[in-house]
Amino acid sequence: MRAATVRAWCWVHKWASLVCTLFLLMLCLTGVPLIFHDEIDAAFDDRSPLAALPEDAPTLPLDAFVRTAMAMYPGERPLFMSFDNDRPVTNVTTGKVAQPGRGDLHITAIDRRTAKPVGALDEDAGIMAVILRLHVDMFAGLPGNLFLDFMGLLFCASIVSGIVVYAPFMRKLAFGEAAHAVAAASAGSTSTICLALALPGKRQRRV
Protein backbone atom coordinates (compact mmCIF):
# COMPACT_ATOMS: atom_id res chain seq x y z
CA MET A 1 0.00 0.00 0.00
CA ARG A 2 1.40 3.39 -0.98
CA ALA A 3 2.19 6.01 1.65
CA ALA A 4 -0.32 8.45 0.11
CA THR A 5 -3.04 5.81 0.28
CA VAL A 6 -2.23 5.09 3.91
CA ARG A 7 -2.41 8.81 4.69
CA ALA A 8 -5.82 9.06 3.04
CA TRP A 9 -7.21 6.10 4.99
CA CYS A 10 -5.68 7.46 8.19
CA TRP A 11 -7.37 10.81 7.58
CA VAL A 12 -10.74 9.09 7.12
CA HIS A 13 -10.18 6.95 10.20
CA LYS A 14 -9.09 9.86 12.39
CA TRP A 15 -11.85 12.30 11.57
CA ALA A 16 -14.66 9.78 11.31
CA SER A 17 -13.69 8.50 14.76
CA LEU A 18 -13.33 11.93 16.34
CA VAL A 19 -16.64 13.26 15.02
CA CYS A 20 -18.78 10.28 16.01
CA THR A 21 -17.12 9.53 19.37
CA LEU A 22 -18.87 12.32 21.31
CA PHE A 23 -22.32 11.24 20.14
CA LEU A 24 -21.58 7.55 20.67
CA LEU A 25 -20.59 8.43 24.24
CA MET A 26 -23.89 10.27 24.67
CA LEU A 27 -25.81 7.25 23.37
CA CYS A 28 -23.93 4.96 25.77
CA LEU A 29 -24.51 7.19 28.79
CA THR A 30 -28.22 7.60 28.06
CA GLY A 31 -28.70 3.99 26.98
CA VAL A 32 -27.54 2.48 30.28
CA PRO A 33 -30.33 4.00 32.43
CA LEU A 34 -32.88 3.17 29.73
CA ILE A 35 -31.95 -0.50 30.06
CA PHE A 36 -32.93 -0.31 33.73
CA HIS A 37 -35.88 2.05 33.27
CA ASP A 38 -38.31 -0.38 34.93
CA GLU A 39 -36.20 -0.51 38.09
CA ILE A 40 -35.67 3.27 38.08
CA ASP A 41 -39.36 3.96 37.56
CA ALA A 42 -40.23 1.59 40.40
CA ALA A 43 -37.75 3.31 42.73
CA PHE A 44 -39.35 6.71 42.06
CA ASP A 45 -42.94 5.47 41.68
CA ASP A 46 -45.36 8.37 42.20
CA ARG A 47 -48.47 6.73 40.75
CA SER A 48 -51.75 7.17 42.53
CA PRO A 49 -52.61 4.24 44.83
CA LEU A 50 -55.42 1.93 43.81
CA ALA A 51 -58.56 1.33 45.82
CA ALA A 52 -58.25 -1.40 48.46
CA LEU A 53 -60.27 -4.34 47.13
CA PRO A 54 -60.06 -8.11 47.61
CA GLU A 55 -57.41 -9.78 45.48
CA ASP A 56 -60.06 -11.88 43.73
CA ALA A 57 -62.18 -8.85 42.77
CA PRO A 58 -63.48 -9.32 39.21
CA THR A 59 -62.46 -7.00 36.41
CA LEU A 60 -64.95 -5.08 34.30
CA PRO A 61 -65.37 -5.30 30.51
CA LEU A 62 -63.12 -3.23 28.32
CA ASP A 63 -66.06 -1.12 27.16
CA ALA A 64 -66.33 0.33 30.65
CA PHE A 65 -62.79 1.70 30.47
CA VAL A 66 -63.46 3.25 27.06
CA ARG A 67 -66.58 4.99 28.37
CA THR A 68 -64.63 6.38 31.32
CA ALA A 69 -61.89 7.79 29.10
CA MET A 70 -64.34 9.30 26.61
CA ALA A 71 -66.27 10.94 29.45
CA MET A 72 -63.06 12.60 30.64
CA TYR A 73 -62.21 13.94 27.18
CA PRO A 74 -65.40 14.71 25.21
CA GLY A 75 -64.94 14.88 21.47
CA GLU A 76 -62.08 12.40 21.46
CA ARG A 77 -62.21 8.79 20.37
CA PRO A 78 -60.39 5.73 21.69
CA LEU A 79 -57.23 4.82 19.78
CA PHE A 80 -55.75 1.85 21.64
CA MET A 81 -55.28 0.26 25.04
CA SER A 82 -52.38 -1.10 27.04
CA PHE A 83 -52.26 -3.03 30.28
CA ASP A 84 -49.94 -2.73 33.28
CA ASN A 85 -48.18 -5.94 34.26
CA ASP A 86 -47.75 -5.10 37.94
CA ARG A 87 -51.23 -3.80 38.79
CA PRO A 88 -54.83 -4.15 37.51
CA VAL A 89 -54.79 -1.01 35.37
CA THR A 90 -55.74 -0.39 31.76
CA ASN A 91 -54.27 2.59 29.93
CA VAL A 92 -56.69 4.04 27.38
CA THR A 93 -55.30 6.37 24.73
CA THR A 94 -57.73 8.85 23.17
CA GLY A 95 -57.40 11.58 20.55
CA LYS A 96 -59.44 13.71 18.21
CA VAL A 97 -57.96 12.13 15.08
CA ALA A 98 -56.70 8.67 14.22
CA GLN A 99 -53.06 9.79 14.06
CA PRO A 100 -52.64 12.65 16.52
CA GLY A 101 -49.41 14.57 16.82
CA ARG A 102 -47.22 14.59 19.88
CA GLY A 103 -49.12 16.29 22.70
CA ASP A 104 -52.52 15.91 20.99
CA LEU A 105 -53.49 12.66 22.70
CA HIS A 106 -54.36 11.64 26.26
CA ILE A 107 -53.41 8.45 28.08
CA THR A 108 -55.65 7.66 31.04
CA ALA A 109 -54.89 4.97 33.61
CA ILE A 110 -58.12 3.26 34.69
CA ASP A 111 -58.64 0.69 37.45
CA ARG A 112 -59.88 -2.51 35.80
CA ARG A 113 -61.90 -3.44 38.89
CA THR A 114 -63.84 -0.18 39.28
CA ALA A 115 -63.50 1.56 35.89
CA LYS A 116 -62.42 4.68 37.75
CA PRO A 117 -59.46 6.78 36.57
CA VAL A 118 -56.36 6.57 38.72
CA GLY A 119 -54.38 9.25 36.89
CA ALA A 120 -53.27 10.54 33.52
CA LEU A 121 -50.00 9.35 32.10
CA ASP A 122 -47.57 12.00 30.91
CA GLU A 123 -44.86 10.31 28.86
CA ASP A 124 -42.93 13.58 28.59
CA ALA A 125 -42.59 14.05 32.33
CA GLY A 126 -39.79 12.79 34.53
CA ILE A 127 -36.07 12.32 34.13
CA MET A 128 -36.46 9.07 32.18
CA ALA A 129 -38.52 10.86 29.53
CA VAL A 130 -35.77 13.45 29.17
CA ILE A 131 -33.13 10.73 28.84
CA LEU A 132 -35.25 8.88 26.27
CA ARG A 133 -35.73 11.97 24.09
CA LEU A 134 -32.01 12.75 24.31
CA HIS A 135 -31.19 9.17 23.33
CA VAL A 136 -33.66 9.01 20.44
CA ASP A 137 -33.46 12.39 18.71
CA MET A 138 -31.67 14.88 21.02
CA PHE A 139 -34.94 16.87 21.27
CA ALA A 140 -34.68 17.66 17.55
CA GLY A 141 -37.35 15.33 16.15
CA LEU A 142 -36.73 13.85 12.72
CA PRO A 143 -33.58 15.94 12.05
CA GLY A 144 -32.12 14.58 15.29
CA ASN A 145 -32.92 11.02 14.21
CA LEU A 146 -31.24 11.55 10.86
CA PHE A 147 -28.22 13.19 12.47
CA LEU A 148 -27.69 10.22 14.79
CA ASP A 149 -28.11 7.92 11.79
CA PHE A 150 -25.31 9.85 10.08
CA MET A 151 -23.15 9.40 13.19
CA GLY A 152 -23.77 5.67 12.86
CA LEU A 153 -22.53 5.80 9.26
CA LEU A 154 -19.41 7.64 10.41
CA PHE A 155 -18.86 4.93 13.02
CA CYS A 156 -19.05 2.30 10.27
CA ALA A 157 -16.58 4.34 8.21
CA SER A 158 -14.26 4.47 11.23
CA ILE A 159 -14.38 0.69 11.62
CA VAL A 160 -13.85 -0.01 7.92
CA SER A 161 -11.01 2.47 7.60
CA GLY A 162 -9.38 1.08 10.75
CA ILE A 163 -9.48 -2.42 9.29
CA VAL A 164 -8.05 -1.20 5.99
CA VAL A 165 -5.22 0.67 7.71
CA TYR A 166 -4.18 -1.79 10.40
CA ALA A 167 -5.27 -5.33 9.49
CA PRO A 168 -2.92 -6.01 6.53
CA PHE A 169 0.14 -4.88 8.46
CA MET A 170 -0.61 -6.34 11.87
CA ARG A 171 -0.30 -9.81 10.34
CA LYS A 172 3.34 -9.05 9.53
CA LEU A 173 4.25 -8.02 13.07
CA ALA A 174 5.16 -10.24 15.97
CA PHE A 175 3.12 -9.87 19.13
CA GLY A 176 4.09 -6.60 20.85
CA GLU A 177 6.05 -5.24 17.93
CA ALA A 178 3.27 -2.83 17.01
CA ALA A 179 3.53 -1.21 20.44
CA HIS A 180 7.20 -0.43 19.82
CA ALA A 181 6.37 1.04 16.41
CA VAL A 182 3.67 3.27 17.90
CA ALA A 183 5.93 4.34 20.77
CA ALA A 184 8.68 5.28 18.35
CA ALA A 185 6.28 7.41 16.34
CA SER A 186 4.27 8.80 19.26
CA ALA A 187 5.98 12.18 19.02
CA GLY A 188 4.56 12.65 15.54
CA SER A 189 1.09 13.05 14.12
CA THR A 190 -1.54 10.38 13.61
CA SER A 191 -0.37 9.97 10.01
CA THR A 192 3.16 9.29 11.28
CA ILE A 193 1.88 6.55 13.58
CA CYS A 194 -0.14 4.99 10.77
CA LEU A 195 2.87 4.99 8.50
CA ALA A 196 5.01 3.49 11.24
CA LEU A 197 2.63 0.55 11.40
CA ALA A 198 2.18 0.38 7.65
CA LEU A 199 5.85 0.35 6.78
CA PRO A 200 7.70 -1.37 9.63
CA GLY A 201 11.43 -1.55 9.39
CA LYS A 202 11.69 1.56 7.20
CA ARG A 203 12.67 4.97 8.40
CA GLN A 204 9.64 7.24 8.51
CA ARG A 205 9.50 10.87 7.55
CA ARG A 206 7.32 13.18 9.66
CA VAL A 207 4.20 14.25 7.77
Side-chain angles (χ1 to χ4, degrees):
M1 186 181 299
R2 294 182 178 180
T5 304
V6 174
R7 291 192 189 96
W9 278 110
C10 284
W11 186 90
V12 173
H13 182 64
K14 176 176 67 175
W15 288 108
S17 302
L18 288 176
V19 172
C20 72
T21 294
L22 178 62
F23 299 96
L24 290 177
L25 177 62
M26 180 272 293
L27 291 176
C28 292
L29 294 178
T30 55
V32 170
L34 290 175
I35 294 175
F36 301 100
H37 73 92
D38 288 333
E39 291 79 2
I40 295 174
D41 290 339
F44 299 97
D45 189 3
D46 58 353
R47 297 176 299 184
S48 302
L50 301 180
L53 295 175
E55 293 184 0
D56 59 349
T59 59
L60 299 177
L62 299 180
D63 289 343
F65 314 143
V66 173
R67 288 193 295 268
T68 299
M70 295 180 66
M72 294 181 62
Y73 303 102
E76 297 187 357
R77 55 182 174 178
L79 301 177
F80 51 86
M81 294 181 178
S82 62
F83 304 90
D84 287 3
N85 295 324
D86 57 343
R87 60 178 189 163
V89 168
T90 296
N91 305 301
V92 181
T93 302
T94 58
K96 293 183 179 181
V97 295
Q99 295 181 343
R102 193 178 188 91
D104 294 332
L105 52 80
H106 298 94
I107 306 175
T108 307
I110 300 174
D111 192 329
R112 294 205 296 263
R113 304 165 301 173
T114 63
K116 294 182 179 179
V118 296
L121 303 182
D122 186 359
E123 294 186 337
D124 294 328
I127 184 62
M128 295 306 298
V130 174
I131 293 176
L132 178 61
R133 287 294 307 280
L134 184 62
H135 185 80
V136 172
D137 57 18
M138 301 187 299
F139 297 95
L142 180 60
N145 286 133
L146 297 177
F147 179 80
L148 291 177
D149 291 340
F150 179 66
M151 291 300 105
L153 292 177
L154 284 183
F155 183 50
C156 294
S158 173
I159 294 175
V160 172
S161 59
I163 293 173
V164 171
V165 170
Y166 296 109
F169 310 109
M170 296 301 293
R171 293 197 300 264
K172 302 177 182 179
L173 299 177
F175 181 78
E177 186 176 346
H180 295 292
V182 172
S186 59
S189 63
T190 302
S191 298
T192 304
I193 297 175
C194 289
L195 287 173
L197 291 174
L199 303 172
K202 295 184 179 180
R203 186 176 180 179
Q204 300 301 326
R205 178 174 60 86
R206 187 181 299 276
V207 292

